[in-house]
Amino acid sequence: VMRKKRKRGAPLGPCSSHGPRPAKAPAPPPSPEPTRPAWTGMGLRAAPSCAAAAEVEQRRRPGLCPPPLELLLLLLLSLGLLHAGDCQQPTQCRIQKCTTDFVSLTSHLNSAIDGFDSEFCKALRAYAGCTQRTSKACRGNLVYHSAVLGISDLMSQRNCSKDGPTSSTNPEVTHDPCNYHSHAGVREHRRGDQNPPSYLFCGLFGDPHLRTFKDHFQTCKVEGAWPLIDNNYLSVQVTNVPVVPGSSATATNKITIIFKAHHECTDQKVYQAVTDDLPAAFVDGTTSGGDGDAKSLRIVERESGHYVEMHARYIGTTVFVRQVGRYLTLAIRMPEDLAMSYEESQDLQLCMNGCPVSERIDDGQGQVSAILGHSLPRTSLVQAWPGYTLETANTQCHEKMPVKDIYFQSCVFDLLTTGDANFTAAAHSALEDVEALHPRKERWHIFPSSGNGTPRGGSNLSVSLGLTCLILIVFL
């Protein structure tokens, strides 16, 4: 019986492992194929589709198993039946690689440092170029289209031109010995360090008020010439003179800055400003240092006779010098590792260690509003200087500085001790310089009740008493 059943059924072919194969249905009459032009497009001969090619091959070999896809593709390619692009594997979308490279190029950048926009635009143009190279393979990729839109938005926000230099994904290629940000990024890459370089801020303004690299705020006498900074790369010296007769309060009327010679980046350059002479050039008459178009050191005049900036790319340092009224102000941002490069003999630096205790006229905690250990007579709540009372000084300073931080308080102190309204503008511009140069936004404001920048509550009366007490001490 089994033999009869085997004979009656169709023979098992090599493609079946069990069970009979169904009887072959009669083939339908061939339908006429639609006609196609022999030549299309740019003169290329139209090739049959992959499916049609596979069907032709199957008809040529009836009764056999279809070959694996890879063998079929190789066979069709060898027969010249595949048109380039019809049956090729699509090129891999590399948008993830583009994004990873962009993150690598910008991870060490800090928006507070000089040259950020230039380096960021270079990285953006490299990112855009990478997306263009992989655009064909990423046509249907949503991540790709989101990246393209994001690049366009960022280039508009940063005013980046589409044409220009681009960053290389190889940090060794972009190494520039006269660009601190460039070789700092290379060092981080070699160490595998993802943290950007640390920067420090120092400022001097007013009577004078000093903000050190450690964010300590002090009001000092320091009459005469004193070094603000003195390290292996930069020296800054200020000269202070008494503001009014009989007062220990002083203000800055001369600033000397020495950019020390640094390998092939720049020769030594000296800048000097005095009251009513704020030049836009170094002492030797030049406005830049270093060779090539991208100067490693340059002076930019922002307001003739009143405001200049110095950008030292080779040491990642920016200096602002202003004249407000009869006196000068200074603000500086410098990499921490360079600021700490000095010898023991160079330890007298106001920006690094603050004013000597004997030269301070505050409580030693950065508070000009609270002189400890002194009683305050009621008669001190009177007009301290012709033209200003505590109330009018508070009102005038509050118009420029809504936040009643240490800069506001210094403004009030300066008005009451000097009667010079220009000190209001000096305190305001000093706060603007902090916002432009200080690397940490949360540290911009230092409040009178704390030397570490943490605000604490306090009554207006206590601030008023402290200010008037300080004024008495200054004049006594």
Side-chain angles (χ1 to χ4, degrees):
V1 174
M2 293 297 291
R3 288 185 186 134
K4 290 181 179 179
K5 289 185 176 180
R6 175 67 58 84
K7 290 179 180 179
R8 291 176 183 174
L12 290 175
C15 299
S16 302
S17 59
H18 63 275
R21 293 180 63 178
K24 186 175 182 180
S31 57
E33 295 184 3
T35 59
R36 297 178 62 185
W39 298 89
T40 58
M42 296 296 294
L44 297 178
R45 186 171 181 82
S49 67
C50 295
E55 184 179 352
V56 169
E57 180 62 20
Q58 182 64 23
R59 288 177 182 175
R60 293 177 63 246
R61 305 176 68 183
L64 297 179
C65 298
L69 178 59
E70 293 84 355
L71 294 177
L72 179 61
L73 290 175
L74 288 173
L75 177 61
L76 293 175
L77 285 169
S78 66
L79 295 175
L81 297 176
L82 288 178
H83 182 277
D86 284 346
C87 301
Q88 283 182 335
Q89 291 287 343
T91 307
Q92 183 181 5
C93 178
R94 299 175 61 83
I95 187 61
Q96 187 63 39
K97 177 68 165 54
C98 297
T99 303
T100 301
D101 289 345
F102 174 72
V103 172
S104 176
L105 290 169
T106 57
S107 60
H108 69 282
L109 298 181
N110 187 330
S111 59
I113 63 178
D114 182 40
F116 169 80
D117 288 337
S118 174
E119 294 300 320
F120 194 79
C121 287
K122 288 181 182 179
L124 272 179
R125 284 190 286 267
Y127 194 9
C130 185
T131 58
Q132 290 173 3
R133 289 190 293 271
T134 193
S135 60
K136 192 171 184 180
C138 297
R139 288 176 180 170
N141 191 306
L142 293 179
V143 176
Y144 163 79
H145 291 288
S146 298
V148 171
L149 291 175
I151 293 170
S152 178
D153 289 342
L154 285 173
M155 293 188 80
S156 297
Q157 293 173 17
R158 297 288 174 181
N159 293 323
C160 300
S161 60
K162 293 183 178 180
D163 298 324
T166 61
S167 298
S168 170
T169 55
N170 182 1
E172 299 294 338
V173 177
T174 60
H175 173 61
D176 180 356
C178 294
N179 186 336
Y180 174 83
H181 307 141
S182 173
H183 55 75
V186 172
R187 289 197 302 267
E188 292 164 20
H189 179 79
R190 288 173 178 169
R191 296 194 307 259
D193 186 6
Q194 296 300 317
N195 296 322
S198 177
Y199 290 82
L200 302 177
F201 173 87
C202 180
L204 186 76
F205 70 98
D207 268 4
H209 306 288
L210 171 70
R211 180 168 181 160
T212 72
F213 281 146
K214 301 173 184 177
D215 282 332
H216 294 163
F217 199 93
Q218 301 169 355
T219 300
C220 308
K221 293 179 290 184
V222 289
E223 183 177 351
W226 289 79
L228 279 184
I229 297 172
D230 185 17
N231 55 51
N232 297 336
Y233 302 90
L234 182 71
S235 292
V236 179
Q237 181 175 279
V238 296
T239 302
N240 300 316
V241 295
V243 179
V244 292
S247 169
S248 60
T250 62
T252 304
N253 72 341
K254 182 178 181 180
I255 294 175
T256 303
I257 303 172
I258 302 175
F259 294 91
K260 300 180 180 180
H262 186 76
H263 305 307
E264 71 274 17
C265 299
T266 183
D267 296 329
Q268 178 171 290
K269 293 290 182 179
V270 179
Y271 178 84
Q272 191 169 85
V274 295
T275 297
D276 295 332
D277 184 14
L278 192 69
F282 296 108
V283 172
D284 62 5
T286 61
T287 59
S288 63
D291 299 326
D293 295 331
K295 301 296 184 182
S296 57
L297 173 63
R298 60 192 177 93
I299 294 180
V300 179
E301 186 177 52
R302 297 300 185 189
E303 185 180 349
S304 180
H306 293 281
Y307 175 24
V308 297
E309 296 179 2
M310 279 157 272
H311 300 273
R313 293 172 60 247
Y314 68 102
I315 54 174
T317 299
T318 302
V319 184
F320 291 177
V321 178
R322 299 176 186 264
Q323 177 172 330
V324 184
R326 296 287 302 163
Y327 303 104
L328 306 176
T329 71
L330 181 138
I332 183 170
R333 179 183 61 225
M334 190 172 193
E336 182 176 10
D337 60 335
L338 303 189
M340 299 298 293
S341 299
Y342 61 90
E343 307 297 330
E344 292 183 3
S345 60
Q346 300 170 295
D347 61 340
L348 183 57
Q349 303 181 55
L350 302 189
C351 281
M352 185 62 66
N353 301 313
C355 299
V357 175
S358 60
E359 296 293 326
R360 298 179 189 175
I361 54 176
D362 58 16
D363 67 349
Q365 302 297 321
Q367 303 176 34
V368 297
S369 64
I371 304 301
L372 304 179
H374 295 84
S375 59
L376 182 68
R378 293 177 59 85
T379 56
S380 64
L381 292 176
V382 296
Q383 181 172 311
W385 188 267
Y388 284 101
T389 64
L390 187 60
E391 182 180 0
T392 57
N394 270 280
T395 300
Q396 181 163 326
C397 292
H398 188 60
E399 290 177 357
K400 288 283 188 179
M401 290 162 288
V403 178
K404 293 189 175 183
D405 61 357
I406 201 74
Y407 291 92
F408 164 83
Q409 187 182 356
S410 298
C411 171
V412 175
F413 169 75
D414 291 349
L415 288 182
L416 293 178
T417 55
T418 67
D420 186 351
N422 288 311
F423 283 105
T424 303
H428 180 253
S429 64
L431 183 57
E432 288 184 328
D433 292 344
V434 170
E435 295 175 354
L437 296 179
H438 199 290
R440 297 175 59 186
K441 185 176 182 179
E442 69 274 12
R443 302 284 294 175
W444 287 355
H445 296 284
I446 298 177
F447 290 88
S449 56
S450 173
N452 61 6
T454 304
R456 297 178 185 175
S459 65
N460 289 334
L461 178 61
S462 64
V463 174
S464 302
L465 292 176
L467 278 170
T468 50
C469 179
L470 176 61
I471 294 166
L472 287 177
I473 293 172
V474 169
F475 281 93
L476 293 177

